[in-house]
Amino acid sequence: MTEQTHGPEQDPNVTGDQAEEGALHVEKWEGIWLRFAAAMTAIFILAIIVAAASFGISVPGASGRVDPNTLSDPNSPFANPGLRELAPGKYEVYMVAQTWNFLPDKIEVPAGSEVTFYLTARDVVHGFKLAGTNINMMALPGQLSVLKATFDTPGTYNYICHEYCGYVAGAPIGHQTMYGQLTVVPSVAATDETAQLTTE
Ligand code: CUA
């Protein structure tokens, strides 16, 4: 390699003016847009950090592996899918997505409950979206998806499969029938508390 391949500054045949043209020159508006883009990127990263740290908003990660062939084993938590109460106001749901339904397809919790969803798929790729919340997960065979949510507002929340799932030869296709419903009922504890306060 010779000196000349290193750029205009080091080329003895180039005059000072030409060398300046060859150097990095940023136009005024180009500079403004560069700074704007850099500032927006910084703001977005900050927003993600604030959302994760202050509001607990996160995407489900690779929480674990589960062999889809062992879901029915007696010692598998997925053998009896459904809602379990861990403590007052704290629940967990082990849920199996399969062609073409959710197990369980009905869940009921009192308002204010914190629910952790453990989700996997038995056969093909499914999805789990709980309408009206930011719960949105993939259900993958072999993969455990975990997401926690608190339900403060009584009402019904439908959950649907949002991954176009499976064609099994000879069977009707049922992706559109794959849904369930979570019901948040007014908190019994809150009512009891009110009753006690009024009788005292
Ligand atoms: Cu399961 Cu679409």
Side-chain angles (χ1 to χ4, degrees):
M1 282 226 182
T2 67
E3 284 288 318
Q4 285 172 337
T5 60
H6 284 263
E9 298 95 323
Q10 289 165 350
D11 190 334
N13 298 322
V14 180
T15 66
D17 277 358
Q18 282 172 317
E20 211 167 283
E21 268 175 36
L24 182 67
H25 175 70
V26 180
E27 296 290 338
K28 182 187 168 201
W29 281 101
E30 196 179 7
I32 289 170
W33 278 111
L34 278 173
R35 285 187 187 87
F36 178 71
M40 290 304 286
T41 307
I43 289 168
F44 290 152
I45 291 171
L46 198 67
I48 292 169
I49 292 168
V50 169
S54 302
F55 300 102
I57 299 169
S58 59
V59 293
S63 304
R65 308 282 298 170
V66 51
D67 183 350
N69 298 315
T70 66
L71 296 186
S72 299
D73 285 3
N75 56 356
S76 165
F78 289 100
N80 294 300
L83 183 77
R84 286 182 199 87
E85 185 172 12
L86 303 173
K90 270 190 187 292
Y91 295 86
E92 63 179 13
V93 175
Y94 276 85
M95 184 175 286
V96 177
Q98 59 187 21
T99 3
W100 283 282
N101 58 2
F102 288 105
L103 302 174
D105 62 0
K106 290 257 185 303
I107 302 169
E108 189 178 299
V109 293
S113 297
E114 184 188 85
V115 184
T116 308
F117 294 89
Y118 295 87
L119 176 72
T120 193
R122 191 187 299 277
D123 36 37
V124 298
V125 175
H126 298 275
F128 177 74
K129 178 167 170 53
L130 191 55
T133 71
N134 60 358
I135 295 180
N136 188 338
M137 293 194 276
M138 298 277 288
L140 305 166
Q143 186 79 43
L144 185 64
S145 300
V146 183
L147 209 53
K148 195 187 285 186
T150 303
F151 298 93
D152 289 325
T153 314
T156 53
Y157 300 80
N158 295 322
Y159 46 92
I160 56 157
C161 175
H162 61 32
E163 289 290 331
Y164 185 70
C165 50
Y167 171 72
V168 177
I173 293 175
H175 160 72
Q176 72 282 359
T177 67
M178 191 167 166
Y179 61 89
Q181 195 169 66
L182 182 141
T183 309
V184 179
V185 296
S187 170
V188 178
T191 322
D192 284 353
E193 221 166 76
T194 318
Q196 277 176 3
L197 285 174
T198 44
T199 50
E200 272 170 7

